[in-house]
Amino acid sequence: MEAVFFDMDGLLVDSERVWLEIETEVMARLGAEWTPAHQAHLVGGSMERTVDYMLAVSGADVPPETVSEWMTGGMVARLTDGVHVMPGASELLEALRAEGVPVALVTSSLRQIADAVLKGFGRERFDCVVTADDVTRTKPDPEPYLTAARLLGVEPVRCVVLEDSPNGVAAATAAGCAVVAVPSLLPVEAAPGRLVVSSLTEIRVEDLRTLVGS
């Protein structure tokens, strides 16, 4: 195992509930309602996709860049106040670092939002960070994970990805990585090269090594 890649929203930190709050507030500004079912349709996706969907649902005549600014500003303000780390995330990350395994954060969120999360969580815990600003195609495209592997100088097939969404799992699988899925809002099925668990508290470093054969 050459490296481990962590997703952010819903996997590393419990930010999906914050997304729901901000999306609901922004949709109210657009004159429409927002439900958890709407959010589930977008989990693991990019800001561009989210904004396009919100405008389509609301029918509002507002520039996409304005909606994106509302979303980003709301998320940064809320996350700067602190984030709730998912159970087992810090412990697994520290265990990997203790064994000298490189770790990266790979997220579909914008750099501003990732920076707000890492301000409280600790940017120094990661060897590299890949956000939506660093790629041309976000998850479910494999580019984010291939970019992280390139930055760390490792082979994707010798890496394990920790994800919570079908989009993220699809991206990791397409990149050739082994996957540990911890489903949050949407189910993820078990598959070859993929371990599905209910919490990161169930995962040890040796479990990750087993997924890549050593």
Side-chain angles (χ1 to χ4, degrees):
M1 184 172 68
E2 295 183 355
V4 173
F5 304 146
F6 285 73
D7 174 50
M8 186 176 76
D9 296 302
L11 185 285
L12 181 72
V13 294
D14 184 17
S15 50
E16 294 295 358
R17 60 182 178 82
V18 183
W19 277 108
L20 178 59
E21 293 170 2
I22 298 302
E23 288 162 355
T24 302
E25 292 172 6
V26 170
M27 281 296 278
R29 297 179 72 172
L30 295 174
E33 293 185 358
W34 190 254
T35 68
H38 287 121
Q39 184 194 28
H41 183 75
L42 298 168
V43 64
S46 66
M47 178 68 77
E48 182 180 10
R49 180 175 171 231
T50 298
V51 169
D52 287 345
Y53 181 75
M54 295 175 83
L55 287 173
V57 170
S58 67
D61 185 19
V62 177
E65 55 270 23
T66 298
V67 179
S68 181
E69 289 174 3
W70 291 347
M71 291 281 291
T72 302
M75 286 298 293
V76 169
R78 200 69 57 89
L79 293 171
T80 299
D81 291 336
V83 294
H84 176 70
V85 180
M86 297 298 280
S90 288
E91 292 81 358
L92 180 57
L93 183 56
E94 291 309 311
L96 288 163
R97 297 199 64 85
E99 294 195 22
V101 179
V103 291
L105 182 69
V106 183
T107 177
S108 291
S109 286
L110 297 172
R111 172 70 64 174
Q112 280 182 273
I113 295 173
D115 285 346
V117 169
L118 292 173
K119 182 178 181 180
F121 188 79
R123 168 64 178 82
E124 69 281 356
R125 290 181 165 191
F126 296 97
D127 296 288
C128 78
V129 175
V130 177
T131 72
D133 294 295
D134 302 310
V135 297
T136 56
R137 297 175 301 278
T138 56
K139 305 170 189 178
D141 193 275
E143 184 183 352
Y145 285 114
L146 294 175
T147 299
R150 176 176 54 80
L151 291 172
L152 292 180
V154 296
E155 293 294 329
V157 294
R158 306 301 300 174
C159 298
V160 179
V161 169
L162 303 165
E163 271 284 358
D164 74 303
S165 72
N167 271 344
V169 169
T173 301
C177 304
V179 181
V180 173
V182 190
S184 56
L185 297 179
L186 296 174
V188 177
E189 299 297 326
R194 181 189 308 164
L195 176 63
V196 180
V197 298
S198 60
S199 169
L200 288 178
T201 58
E202 301 174 31
I203 297 299
R204 300 167 300 173
V205 176
E206 48 264 44
D207 299 320
L208 304 182
R209 293 190 186 280
T210 298
L211 281 172
V212 293
S214 65

